[in-house]
């Protein structure tokens, strides 16, 4: 449905983001990431106390590709 758009100010667009104004058939942002985290990571909340004496994050990643992104 056509529309009239006024002024648009774009401050920031991430690397896998899409910015589009107007009619569109298909929009597919794509990204991939691999995260390794040790003990006490990804904690959220108020008043969290973490006491970890020794922590190591060991990983073995023998394959070359984990999650392929294919454009169709």
């Amino acid at each position: 449905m056509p529309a009239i758009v006024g002024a648009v100010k774009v401050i920031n667009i991430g690397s896998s983001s899409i910015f589009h104004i107007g009619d569109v058939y298909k929009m597919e942002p794509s990204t991939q990431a691999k995260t390794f985290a040790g003990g006490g990571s990804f904690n959220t909340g108020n008043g969290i106390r973490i006491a970890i004496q020794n922590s190591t994050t060991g990983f073995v990643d023998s394959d070359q590709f984990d999650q392929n992104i294919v454009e169709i």
Side-chain angles (χ1 to χ4, degrees), residues 30-72:
S30 60
T31 184
Q32 60 186 356
K34 185 182 291 189
T35 304
F36 300 100
S41 300
F42 306 117
N43 293 317
T44 58
N46 295 328
I48 293 177
R49 295 181 188 201
I50 306 293
I52 299 174
Q53 299 303 319
N54 284 331
S55 177
T56 60
T57 302
F59 61 91
V60 176
D61 188 15
S62 59
D63 57 346
Q64 189 172 5
F65 302 105
D66 290 329
Q67 187 175 16
N68 298 333
I69 296 177
V70 179
E71 299 289 331
I72 297 176

Side-chain angles (χ1 to χ4, degrees), residues 1-4 22-24:
M1 178 177 197
I4 297 173
D23 296 337
V24 65

Side-chain angles (χ1 to χ4, degrees), residues 9-26:
K9 182 177 182 181
V10 178
I11 303 298
N12 190 6
I13 294 181
S15 62
S16 65
S17 301
I18 292 178
F19 176 78
H20 186 85
I21 295 177
D23 296 337
V24 65
Y25 168 70
K26 185 177 182 181

